[in-house]
Amino acid sequence: MNPEKNIVLVVDDEQIIVRLATTAIAAAGFRVTVAENGGAGLECYEKLKDQICLILADVLMPAVNGLEMAKQILEIDPDAKILLMSGYSDTVLKTQHPKQDLPFIRKPFLADDLIRKTQSVLGISAAA
């Protein structure tokens, strides 16, 4: 991994998820920055894009949702790594956002599962 690009941007409006994700991601050796919704996440990405290795974003949030934010980020950088998360059922997600081709993790998740998924999306092999 590029040492200059080691920030994970966590975008979620639920503080308990933000705390769990930031603790797990920091323990895995990444720096973390947080945004409370997709609009703030997009602004943060534009400022730090050269340092961000992954965007971890909730699918459904007030204001700009995670999918809309992801779409805008991918227009800026088609190679951006994005991991979506949601606690909603598949039925709700398909109704709200029928097409989803990005990596996904279901909330609630365990810290170890988030670390493994983050490493997988980034193409990092887990330490033995």
Side-chain angles (χ1 to χ4, degrees):
M1 182 174 75
N2 179 348
E4 299 297 314
K5 204 165 187 168
N6 69 344
I7 295 176
V8 174
L9 171 58
V10 176
V11 186
D12 200 316
D13 59 326
E14 293 179 69
Q15 286 306 307
I16 192 162
I17 297 296
V18 169
R19 280 193 301 273
L20 171 64
T22 56
T23 300
I25 291 166
F30 297 95
R31 293 182 4 210
V32 181
T33 193
V34 176
E36 68 276 359
N37 61 51
L42 186 58
E43 286 176 21
C44 188
Y45 181 79
E46 288 172 341
K47 288 178 191 168
L48 299 172
K49 66 183 168 205
D50 293 334
Q51 299 171 56
I52 292 174
C53 60
L54 177 75
I55 300 100
L56 173 65
D58 191 14
V59 173
L60 299 176
M61 292 179 285
V64 179
N65 68 53
L67 283 176
E68 182 58 35
M69 180 195 69
K71 178 181 168 194
Q72 291 179 39
I73 288 173
L74 289 169
E75 287 174 5
I76 296 167
D77 179 5
D79 296 324
K81 303 288 186 196
I82 301 172
L83 173 57
L84 295 176
M85 59 183 164
S86 181
Y88 285 94
S89 70
D90 291 338
T91 305
V92 170
L93 290 174
K94 286 178 184 167
T95 302
Q96 296 291 320
H97 305 285
K99 188 162 173 111
Q100 181 187 110
D101 296 330
L102 295 168
F104 181 81
I105 188 168
R106 179 152 316 277
K107 295 192 292 188
F109 43 75
L110 298 174
D112 287 344
D113 293 336
L114 177 59
I115 291 168
R116 276 192 295 278
K117 189 70 171 189
T118 296
Q119 291 171 332
S120 171
V121 171
L122 291 172
I124 300 170
S125 355

